[in-house]
Amino acid sequence: MQGKSNTFSITSAHPEDHLMPISRIISNAFAGGGVLEEILQKYVGGCHYDFDTTRLAWEGEQLVHHWGVWGYWMRVGSVQLKTAGIGAVVTEESYRKQGLMASAAAQSFQAMYDHGYDLSILRGRHYHKFGYRRAWNYVTTKLDPGKTPPEEIPQVDLKLPFRLLDRAEMDPINALYNRDYAGFSGSCVRPTFPMFEDGDMKAYGWYGQQGQLAGYVRAAATEDQSALLCLEAAGDPQQGLAVLRELMQQEACHQLHFFTMPEQHPILQIVRQGACTVENRYFHHTGWQVRLVNLTSSLQKLLPLLVGRLAASRFAKWQGRLHLDAGEQQAALRISNGRIQLTDENPGEHRVHGGWAIARLLIGSDEPGEIARQEGITFTGEAEALVEVLFPNLHPMMSHWDEF
């Protein structure tokens, strides 16, 4: 797929021809020309980078803009939506403010639609104009025994020895992650990125009686060495906490923090039984954001969840049509005695006018009422009450390892 923007050509990417120029423009923009080999082998090559929906802008044979796409399946409850992660967006300095990003993005969105994507996720500024809306916040859970009153780290015994994991354990790590994070919204279905060097993931694991990897925590000291930061964990939560205590002693850290961990992770459920601080950082037009790609396909995949939520509510025997207006896309749900079907019938009296913010409802990025107030969503008929039931807050969160 090719197009023209002024004197520039906008093209898709091809691994055999474009891997090196893509890696170079990323290296120059974000790493001062360094870590080129890692970008080649891990960040663009050898991972879930999607050359078909990525868009490149060229002046002649010179690559001057990169709109990168990493394709993956994102969990929304027990459902998976095909998601286009956007990253490493860069325009060479002398080619900025000429509309290259807008042209590349528009062509990429169409390619995403054509290739069966449901949503797109990114992190950064300047994307609100392309339809991106807040996806989730930065949430950090902190334990500081030095506070008054103290926030105590749970006293748990280490049941099994542990060690730093290496590249040979990447497949078992991914298998444990997919098992334990299966119901956590916002998480990626792995594999995503490979481990580039031994210890790159900072994962410490323990083994079962048959010699299989039974669990792990991914943690490292913060730059100032004040806290041990846990980014991910799978397996026995009591053992995980015990390993974290041992790592704190080894790193001489005085605090224990958790970041990019799902709210309902069993370790955090244990931590919240005692005293802790939960920091929820909100953002406006930056941070993690979501954009709708295909409303109909997203709703079709979400139907099993919607039916279950409806059955557990006062709307279990409700009948009618709920119309979702996302601006460029429209969809309607025909609801009758616990059954829900997509329909192309004309809008009824129960309508949600949400524009691009409909994507926030689909992934449960916050309480529905909060989303409506923040985004100016309006309702008619019983739509507002139905939305409260069908699209609850799922507290989505992506693990740090999978960020693109």
Side-chain angles (χ1 to χ4, degrees):
M1 179 178 179
Q2 296 189 0
K4 286 287 183 181
S5 174
N6 299 323
T7 61
F8 305 102
S9 61
I10 309 294
T11 74
S12 58
H14 304 283
E16 60 275 12
D17 299 323
H18 300 149
L19 178 58
M20 180 59 78
I22 290 171
S23 299
R24 279 208 181 102
I25 197 171
I26 294 173
S27 170
N28 290 338
F30 300 102
V35 296
L36 178 61
E37 192 64 26
E38 182 172 356
I39 295 170
L40 279 165
Q41 295 188 28
K42 170 185 172 182
Y43 188 58
V44 178
C47 70
H48 54 307
Y49 184 90
D50 187 347
F51 288 85
D52 292 329
T53 55
T54 286
R55 284 298 178 266
L56 309 174
W58 305 82
E59 184 179 50
E61 297 184 357
Q62 181 182 357
L63 179 61
V64 296
H65 173 79
H66 173 257
W67 173 276
V69 179
W70 283 258
Y72 66 99
W73 291 93
M74 184 176 77
R75 299 179 177 92
V76 178
S78 59
V79 168
Q80 297 174 10
L81 298 183
K82 189 174 182 182
T83 305
I86 309 302
V89 178
V90 57
T91 305
E92 294 283 5
E93 187 170 359
S94 59
Y95 294 90
R96 294 173 185 171
K97 298 183 179 180
Q98 298 185 54
L100 290 179
M101 182 168 71
S103 297
Q107 289 198 28
S108 181
F109 294 143
Q110 183 60 53
M112 292 174 201
Y113 188 94
D114 295 340
H115 283 77
Y117 281 94
D118 301 303
L119 301 172
S120 178
I121 295 281
L122 55 70
R123 181 181 61 180
R125 303 178 183 272
H126 315 304
Y127 298 100
H128 193 267
K129 60 187 175 184
F130 296 138
Y132 286 91
R133 297 296 184 269
R134 178 187 297 165
W136 53 80
N137 300 335
Y138 289 170
V139 182
T140 308
T141 301
K142 301 180 179 180
L143 292 170
D144 183 357
K147 288 189 70 172
T148 304
E151 297 173 340
E152 295 184 2
I153 298 168
Q155 296 284 343
V156 286
D157 295 328
L158 189 67
K159 303 172 186 177
L160 297 167
F162 64 94
R163 68 170 180 84
L164 181 64
L165 302 177
D166 56 31
R167 285 174 293 178
E169 302 289 354
M170 197 66 192
D171 287 343
I173 289 172
N174 286 340
L176 284 174
Y177 178 88
N178 285 333
R179 182 196 71 186
D180 285 12
Y181 282 63
F184 294 147
S185 296
S187 66
C188 302
V189 178
R190 290 181 177 170
T192 53
F193 295 106
M195 190 182 295
F196 188 63
E197 297 178 350
D198 286 349
D200 191 28
M201 198 173 186
K202 300 298 182 186
Y204 298 83
W206 56 93
Y207 296 81
Q209 293 183 347
Q210 305 302 317
Q212 79 283 5
L213 185 67
Y216 70 90
V217 298
R218 180 169 172 248
T222 55
E223 288 187 9
D224 63 3
Q225 297 293 312
S226 65
L228 183 74
L229 182 62
C230 179
L231 299 168
E232 192 174 300
D236 179 1
Q238 298 282 348
Q239 168 74 7
L241 280 168
V243 171
L244 291 171
R245 288 184 65 93
E246 291 285 326
L247 292 173
M248 285 182 66
Q249 294 180 4
Q250 292 179 17
E251 299 288 344
C253 295
H254 303 293
Q255 301 176 26
L256 177 59
H257 296 177
F258 299 89
F259 186 59
T260 72
M261 297 271 283
E263 185 200 48
Q264 292 304 312
H265 195 286
I267 284 183
L268 295 187
Q269 292 189 52
I270 294 172
V271 166
R272 289 197 300 269
Q273 292 176 18
C276 64
T277 298
V278 180
E279 179 185 86
N280 195 341
R281 294 181 59 197
Y282 282 77
F283 297 87
H284 186 39
H285 293 163
T286 183
W288 285 106
Q289 300 170 65
V290 59
R291 184 193 192 274
L292 190 65
V293 173
N294 191 321
L295 177 60
T296 299
S297 70
S298 297
L299 287 171
Q300 186 66 54
K301 292 170 184 173
L302 290 169
L303 281 181
L305 289 181
L306 303 184
V307 168
R309 293 164 185 167
L310 190 74
S313 77
R314 64 185 177 90
F315 290 98
K317 298 189 179 300
W318 190 85
Q319 296 189 55
R321 292 194 309 277
L322 177 65
H323 184 79
L324 301 175
D325 179 358
E328 292 184 358
Q329 300 182 36
Q330 314 275 319
L333 301 172
R334 184 196 296 129
I335 302 172
S336 178
N337 292 319
R339 298 182 62 192
I340 305 179
Q341 294 177 307
L342 281 167
T343 177
D344 57 3
E345 297 174 283
N346 291 329
E349 61 178 306
H350 313 289
R351 306 177 199 174
V352 184
H353 298 278
W356 291 113
I358 291 291
R360 295 191 63 190
L361 294 175
L362 299 184
I363 69 168
S365 77
D366 211 322
E367 301 297 331
E370 182 81 356
I371 295 173
R373 286 186 292 272
Q374 292 172 357
E375 303 287 353
I377 297 175
T378 60
F379 306 93
T380 62
E382 294 188 85
E384 185 171 8
L386 283 164
V387 163
E388 290 281 348
V389 167
L390 294 176
F391 302 105
N393 187 353
L394 299 178
H395 305 279
M397 185 63 61
M398 179 189 293
S399 176
H400 179 271
W401 182 258
D402 301 310
E403 295 179 3
F404 26 80

